Amino acid sequence: MRTRLALALCACAAIAAAQAPSIDAAYSAKIKEFTTEPFFLTELIDHLPASSTVPTPEKILGHIAGAPGKLTHTANVHRYLRELAKASPRVRVWVQGTSEEGRETILVAVSDEANLKRLDRLKDITARLADPRRINDAEADKLIAEGVPFYWASGAIHSPETGSPEMLMELAYRLAVSETPFIQSIRRNSVVLITPVLEVDGRDKQVDLYNFRKANPAQAPSGLLYWGRYVAHDNNRDGMALSLNLSRIVMKTFLEYHPQVLHDLHESVPFLYTSTGMGPYNAWLDPIVINEWQKLAYHEVEEMTKRGVPGVWTHGFYDGWAANYMVTAAQGHNAIGRFYETYGGPEGPDTRERTVPAGQTTRTWYRPNPPLPKIKWSLRNNVNMQQSAILFAMHYTAANKETFLRNFYLKSKRSVAKPANEGPAAYVLPADDPRAFHAADLVNLLQLHGVEVHKADGPIEAGKEKFPAASYVIRMDQPYSRMADMLLDRQFYNASDTPPYDDTGWTLGALRNIRTARVTDTAILKTPMTLLRDPVKPEGRIEGPAKASAYLIAQTAEFNLTTFRFKLGRDIKVLALEKPFQNHPAGSFLIPDAPGLRDKLMRAAAPLGLKITALEKTPDVPTHEVRAPRIALVHTWLNTQNEGWYRLAFDKLEIPYSYISVHALRDTPDLRSKYDVILLGPAGGNAQRIVNGIPTRGQPIPWKKSELTPHFGDSPDQSDDIRGGIELRGMAHLQRFIEEGGLFITIGRDASLPIDYGLVEGLAIAPARELRVAGSVLTAAVSDRTSPIVYGYDDKVPVYFSQAPLFQISLTGGAGGPGAGGTPPTRPSGRGTPTDADIPQGRPYVQPPPAPRPAPGEEPPLSEEIRERMARLLPERPKVILRFAPENELLISGMLAGGRELAARPALVQVPKGKGNILMFAINPVWRHQTQGTFALLFNAMLHFDHLATAAASPVATPQPSAEAGEEQH
């Protein structure tokens, strides 16, 4: 009896052992070894399942995910995932696209074999649910029952945030190999998509930088100067403009798979923040999206907290307002866009004790389980936190697959119903807008977002508005109406709300200086119109006689005219009209005929949509020559981000330039022999910081290709030693350049450089006392109509501005400024103007009580006596080319309080000096590839650099009240 019982017990034990999951003991031991506290482990990730056929990251890379001192280059991350796909039928890998530097971005799919075999069918299901015009509710029910949601996780868009690529490799392995019911549910009921490295160029440079630091611990290292080819941290602010390759890759992939969740992995705060934000949330999102944010975040916080993991929280970080983040690809298209922030840091894979900032360790309503004040932190902790939480989110999505698919379909239905529900009915870009090229450019951008654009077959009448035939119509009865609405509408951000996380205004029509009419009359939807199937490509043409004495091209302040001038080449003579001729405004190009010219003009104009008029007789109008200038774009070694947007614009528009560092100014006495225009790209910091640069103590700090840093060679610039700045001799070289006829241009706060170092008199930067404006779209007015800089512009120009600088012109250059700016508006943040009503999405509009409007402030005009004194005392006095509008006309979109302090101040100032000029922008004319409407302010100045002095001096700035008693004037 005992023998039979013993045999039975042995058999049961054998069966149990056979059914128990197989564990990779060595890998699992290292997980625990590299985790600094047991409470950073959960039962989901405290071990790794074993497989006899599928390789772990350690088998391919030689180390586990999160090992101290180990970061993986992009090529090796991709190599591992491809090996995983070769070994497992549950994994597939595709190339999504390539970066600006030629590296591949990949997409990994992990699911069970049955789902991957029918992947095309699953994609078709989500595509049909995304467009409810193609199906009815009964068909949707069947599709929802048949389909599964896609959950897309992406890593390392921010290159110094190093943990997510390591984690995502291990996650893919775990999802493919584990046979626990928890993982099986994820595989069976969803398809997990993974992009392990989104900023592939920056990842490789970051790994190089870490390896250099590790090999040279005594040497002062540089920061990560170049991430992508053009921008650094702002690569996650391109969700509207889609100007970077990675942004277009994300948008293209979303529109192919229609994932229900897009989850971006970041690292900046302890220990794990899962996104919901503090608001005000984006006003154009369906409320269901907001509820889904909360649902997923609360589930993660609860599950992690139940397991004793400290410092997992939501709310209290980020606002959810701006539409420029990468997750807008989901949020603007009826899906869920979300992100994590974990405790990464510049140490990367180094384990060390860290002190958590005091404000982040306090218990509060949104963080009842705060991080610990001090912690020994490791890369493996980071991997654990990300992987545990995202597995809970993926499992929750899979377990509730029909809910997420049904919500996706419902949000799409509600978007199609928008005209009859909350409105508007449509947006119209009128065909008679003189800036047809900018309008076409905006249409093409909307199409990249998946937004449908129609062209009116005939004239349109909608309510009291009339639009000509061939106008572009963006209907709101389409699935992505909310995306179009949030891009084209006006924004209002109340300054009393949570301080904004980023820009508060972005109305793209205004930023392109074109008219976009918001139409509420649904009758427009019955107007005959044709859907545009392809991008709009305006075709240039030549009109008029075959034999011409000259050719005329209208100046409309569009960037294509600048591209055209450079495409012609420096050997073609181009003149600019200094006065209007017929229907061509001042600044229009007049090109005298020459042998073979007509063909050259046509080749250059055709892809740019330019209309050229051939003239039998050359008009008798004053002109000056428009030469193709030699341009230098200067960067510091302190910050290479914001000037990168200028490089991007120049490269996209095919404007040739030399890219030089501040050291070239320091080391080149005769700058004028090389350049006509020197543009100091937005650098940040004060003038002294730009001049001094990185301190020159210690050893040289290189940024160049080497054995340890092979990928630094892909950077736009290299140096044996990045220490130092312009330095005083460079300022002397710059002064000589200007006085010998060059044009020097500063952007924003960099105006402090010529002001503080004595190149400019009569201009100061005033401190802001009451003004609050954060990344807003404002109105500026042309102040000097004779200046070539404003050729092609109307009297009012929409501009981008964010808080500083506040220019002030006076006899002394004093820093006094106007007083308080009135009472901030009381309406909530939302769509429209300060006096418009907010419109909740997904329900009919209800008229609220009217909101009060603040009274405008006015400043007294200058007397003639003061003007004469100014002219005598300051022969090289500043000229105001553009000034901000009166307070009641200032705000187009965004946040503005204390506007009286900004009203009527200079927005663009020209200062003659010797034979040359200094041009200082208070606004940023080239911001995140969104402000095409102000590109021409910069380009006009460059093209006419040697004729800016021909413009009559503008009236001196409206005076500002003097400084308060006892306050020093500078």
Side-chain angles (χ1 to χ4, degrees):
M1 185 72 175
R2 290 184 180 177
T3 302
R4 286 198 300 270
L5 179 60
L7 290 173
L9 290 174
C10 287
C12 290
I15 293 171
Q19 292 176 342
S22 178
I23 302 299
D24 186 321
Y27 196 110
S28 300
K30 290 177 182 176
I31 289 176
K32 293 177 181 178
E33 177 188 352
F34 300 149
T35 300
T36 64
E37 295 287 351
F39 50 65
F40 288 129
L41 293 169
T42 70
E43 77 280 9
L44 302 182
I45 51 84
D46 63 359
H47 65 282
L48 196 74
S51 171
S52 60
T53 58
V54 181
T56 67
E58 186 178 29
K59 292 277 178 62
I60 302 299
L61 304 175
H63 59 84
I64 78 163
K70 300 291 184 181
L71 288 180
T72 311
H73 280 104
T74 300
N76 285 329
V77 173
H78 293 177
R79 179 168 65 92
Y80 170 70
L81 290 166
R82 286 189 166 108
E83 291 296 325
L84 185 63
K86 288 179 186 177
S88 173
R90 296 168 176 170
V91 182
R92 290 189 188 177
V93 176
W94 300 271
V95 175
Q96 289 174 280
T98 55
S99 70
E100 284 84 356
E101 293 177 0
R103 293 179 179 83
E104 290 180 341
T105 302
I106 67 169
L107 182 69
V108 182
V110 187
S111 192
D112 67 19
E113 295 94 319
N115 283 337
L116 292 185
K117 285 178 181 177
R118 64 182 187 124
L119 187 62
D120 288 341
R121 173 59 179 166
L122 294 175
K123 289 164 60 177
D124 180 62
I125 288 171
T126 56
R128 294 177 70 189
L129 293 175
D131 189 352
R133 298 170 301 180
R134 300 166 53 192
I135 57 175
N136 57 38
D137 288 350
E139 292 172 311
D141 288 341
K142 293 178 181 178
L143 293 171
I144 290 167
E146 181 186 353
V148 298
F150 289 88
Y151 195 114
W152 184 13
S154 68
I157 189 173
H158 284 162
S159 302
E161 300 167 10
T162 55
S164 55
E166 314 293 333
M167 184 279 286
L168 288 168
M169 287 189 287
E170 184 176 292
L171 175 68
Y173 173 87
R174 190 182 302 277
L175 289 171
V177 169
S178 176
E179 295 298 345
T180 64
F182 187 96
I183 298 296
Q184 286 180 342
S185 174
I186 295 174
R187 280 201 305 264
R188 183 174 58 252
N189 297 310
S190 70
V191 175
V192 172
L193 301 175
I194 295 172
T195 300
V197 183
L198 199 51
E199 177 54 272
V200 288
D201 297 334
R203 171 70 178 186
D204 282 346
K205 296 182 185 73
Q206 175 64 43
V207 177
D208 283 3
L209 181 61
Y210 174 73
N211 291 339
F212 178 86
R213 288 171 170 171
K214 188 166 64 170
N216 298 275
Q219 184 168 345
S222 69
L224 185 63
L225 291 171
Y226 295 99
W227 299 9
R229 183 74 181 171
Y230 294 108
V231 296
H233 190 273
D234 266 9
N235 60 9
N236 194 33
R237 301 298 187 274
D238 191 43
M240 290 187 289
L242 302 181
S243 58
L244 303 174
N245 284 14
L246 68 83
S247 306
R248 295 190 176 211
I249 288 170
V250 168
M251 193 70 257
K252 177 177 176 288
T253 304
F254 182 92
L255 294 175
E256 179 181 354
Y257 289 87
H258 302 92
Q260 283 59 62
V261 183
L262 170 54
H263 192 152
D264 197 24
L265 299 169
H266 290 264
E267 302 167 16
S268 69
V269 295
F271 289 142
L272 188 147
Y273 165 82
T274 176
S275 64
T276 50
M278 289 288 285
Y281 294 143
N282 185 290
W284 294 263
L285 296 180
D286 192 307
I288 297 173
V289 175
I290 312 299
N291 297 336
E292 289 171 321
W293 289 352
Q294 323 290 351
K295 184 185 299 183
L296 281 164
Y298 291 157
H299 179 73
E300 291 159 327
V301 172
E302 180 182 358
E303 293 302 318
M304 297 286 278
T305 302
K306 284 194 303 188
R307 287 158 175 80
V309 182
V312 182
W313 51 288
T314 189
H315 301 298
F317 179 88
Y318 161 79
D319 52 36
W321 172 259
N324 55 11
Y325 309 109
M326 186 267 281
V327 291
T328 300
Q331 291 171 185
H333 297 82
N334 302 316
I336 305 162
R338 60 198 314 263
F339 66 92
Y340 287 162
E341 298 284 353
T342 52
Y343 207 24
E347 298 81 13
D350 293 341
T351 301
R352 61 187 283 271
E353 186 174 276
R354 299 181 67 178
T355 299
V356 177
Q360 297 176 6
T361 63
T362 54
R363 185 178 56 80
T364 185
W365 68 268
Y366 57 80
R367 193 170 49 213
N369 175 29
L372 304 174
K374 280 194 175 183
I375 192 69
K376 187 177 182 182
W377 189 255
S378 68
L379 180 62
R380 184 65 215 188
N381 291 353
N382 190 359
V383 168
N384 292 341
M385 297 288 279
Q386 292 184 50
Q387 192 172 179
S388 289
I390 203 169
L391 281 169
F392 284 124
M394 289 175 172
H395 182 264
Y396 185 85
T397 304
N400 296 276
K401 70 183 187 69
E402 291 196 3
T403 297
F404 283 94
L405 288 173
R406 192 171 302 281
N407 279 355
F408 183 62
Y409 171 66
L410 178 58
K411 288 177 290 186
S412 301
K413 280 185 66 177
R414 286 155 64 99
S415 293
V416 174
K418 189 171 172 57
N421 204 5
E422 68 268 25
Y427 286 86
V428 178
L429 280 58
D432 56 359
D433 193 311
R435 298 179 182 91
F437 195 80
H438 281 183
D441 186 61
L442 179 54
V443 165
N444 293 339
L445 174 60
L446 292 171
Q447 290 179 318
L448 284 177
H449 280 283
V451 173
E452 295 174 355
V453 182
H454 289 73
K455 183 174 275 192
D457 295 341
I460 301 174
E461 288 193 25
K464 298 180 180 179
E465 297 194 84
K466 296 181 180 180
F467 306 101
S471 293
Y472 299 116
V473 182
I474 300 93
R475 303 170 63 105
M476 292 293 103
D477 57 348
Q478 61 168 298
Y480 302 144
S481 61
R482 299 190 194 284
M483 188 75 238
D485 198 17
M486 74 174 68
L487 294 179
L488 300 176
D489 204 354
R490 295 173 68 168
Q491 297 81 44
F492 173 79
Y493 195 104
N494 193 313
S496 299
D497 275 339
T498 305
Y501 195 74
D502 202 80
D503 285 348
T504 58
W506 55 80
T507 305
L508 292 188
L511 289 176
R512 278 166 167 73
N513 199 21
I514 58 175
R515 184 185 173 207
T516 54
R518 186 177 189 271
V519 179
T520 58
D521 186 353
T522 56
I524 192 172
L525 302 177
K526 299 177 183 178
T527 303
M529 59 184 74
T530 301
L531 177 65
L532 298 176
R533 301 286 181 182
D534 299 303
V536 178
K537 297 179 180 178
E539 288 294 325
R541 62 191 188 275
I542 297 177
E543 298 178 345
K547 189 172 183 180
S549 64
Y551 298 89
L552 193 58
I553 308 173
Q555 169 63 270
T556 55
E558 295 177 281
F559 56 74
N560 55 342
L561 194 61
T562 305
T563 301
F564 174 78
R565 177 63 192 96
F566 281 99
K567 275 184 171 294
L568 283 184
R570 289 188 169 90
D571 58 328
I572 302 295
K573 187 174 185 179
V574 178
L575 306 173
L577 304 183
E578 293 181 353
K579 292 184 178 181
F581 173 73
Q582 296 177 354
N583 61 341
H584 288 69
S588 296
F589 282 4
L590 181 67
I591 307 173
D593 191 32
L597 178 63
R598 192 181 187 102
D599 289 341
K600 290 182 180 178
L601 294 179
M602 195 60 211
R603 283 195 300 271
L608 298 172
L610 288 170
K611 174 187 170 184
I612 302 176
T613 302
L615 303 174
E616 291 182 347
K617 182 181 179 182
T618 303
D620 185 17
V621 178
T623 62
H624 63 255
E625 187 171 356
V626 182
R627 296 194 289 138
R630 301 166 300 165
I631 301 168
L633 173 57
V634 180
H635 71 89
T636 71
W637 288 107
L638 299 164
N639 183 312
T640 57
Q641 165 148 287
N642 290 335
E643 56 82 13
W645 291 113
Y646 284 73
R647 285 189 283 115
L648 178 70
F650 285 13
D651 287 350
K652 282 185 176 289
L653 305 183
E654 301 180 72
I655 297 173
Y657 64 100
S658 298
Y659 184 57
I660 63 175
S661 80
V662 286
H663 294 168
L665 303 184
R666 177 194 67 191
D667 300 335
T668 309
D670 188 9
L671 292 165
R672 188 69 185 89
S673 66
K674 291 187 172 185
Y675 310 115
D676 302 308
V677 178
I678 294 177
L679 166 63
L680 177 62
N686 57 31
Q688 186 179 30
R689 182 79 166 136
I690 297 171
V691 169
N692 293 339
I694 298 170
T696 53
R697 56 180 175 267
Q699 301 177 40
I701 302 175
W703 181 275
K704 64 180 298 185
K705 183 176 182 178
S706 69
E707 185 176 351
L708 278 173
T709 57
H711 302 98
F712 283 15
D714 298 325
S715 303
D717 199 5
Q718 300 184 62
S719 175
D720 291 318
D721 187 5
I722 64 174
R723 298 174 304 164
I726 297 177
E727 301 178 19
L728 292 180
R729 68 178 182 271
M731 292 302 297
H733 300 160
L734 194 57
Q735 180 175 355
R736 177 185 169 188
F737 164 81
I738 300 165
E739 290 176 343
E740 291 180 352
L743 172 63
F744 177 57
I745 303 174
T746 66
I747 309 296
R749 300 170 195 260
D750 293 349
S752 63
L753 185 76
I755 292 173
D756 291 357
Y757 281 83
L759 300 184
V760 171
E761 294 184 46
L763 182 69
I765 296 176
R769 294 182 172 87
E770 301 275 341
L771 178 68
R772 292 178 62 197
V773 52
S776 298
V777 187
L778 306 179
T779 301
V782 173
S783 186
D784 184 355
R785 179 49 71 185
T786 65
S787 173
I789 298 170
V790 295
Y791 279 161
Y793 280 97
D794 302 326
D795 292 338
K796 300 286 181 66
V797 183
V799 299
Y800 172 89
F801 180 76
S802 192
Q803 194 60 28
L806 301 185
F807 286 154
Q808 178 170 307
I809 296 175
S810 68
L811 284 170
T812 61
T823 305
T826 57
R827 63 152 287 188
S829 298
R831 69 146 304 275
T833 70
T835 57
D836 279 344
D838 183 47
I839 297 181
Q841 300 295 300
R843 72 184 201 199
Y845 172 64
V846 177
Q847 177 72 42
R853 183 166 185 160
E858 296 183 357
E859 302 291 348
L862 283 173
S863 68
E864 288 301 319
E865 179 184 359
I866 292 293
R867 291 178 189 276
E868 291 176 6
R869 289 176 60 198
M870 291 280 290
R872 288 196 305 271
L873 293 173
L874 298 172
E876 293 183 339
R877 67 188 186 277
K879 304 176 183 179
V880 179
I881 308 300
L882 204 67
R883 69 170 70 251
F884 290 105
E887 184 184 11
N888 64 320
E889 300 176 14
L890 256 179
L891 182 64
I892 295 175
S893 288
M895 184 182 88
L896 177 65
R900 205 173 81 186
E901 196 168 26
L902 181 65
R905 282 193 186 271
L908 175 57
V909 177
Q910 174 193 344
V911 180
K913 190 169 187 67
K915 297 178 181 178
N917 288 274
I918 303 171
L919 191 66
M920 290 171 282
F921 285 87
I923 63 173
N924 192 332
V926 181
W927 175 245
R928 292 176 174 169
H929 213 67
Q930 296 169 194
T931 58
Q932 282 84 345
T934 50
F935 281 11
L937 293 172
L938 179 68
F939 298 154
N940 282 350
M942 291 177 167
L943 290 177
H944 303 278
F945 76 95
D946 51 349
H947 288 86
L948 299 182
T950 61
S954 67
V956 180
T958 301
Q960 311 295 344
S962 59
E964 296 176 6
E967 182 176 336
E968 180 183 1
Q969 289 201 2
H970 303 284

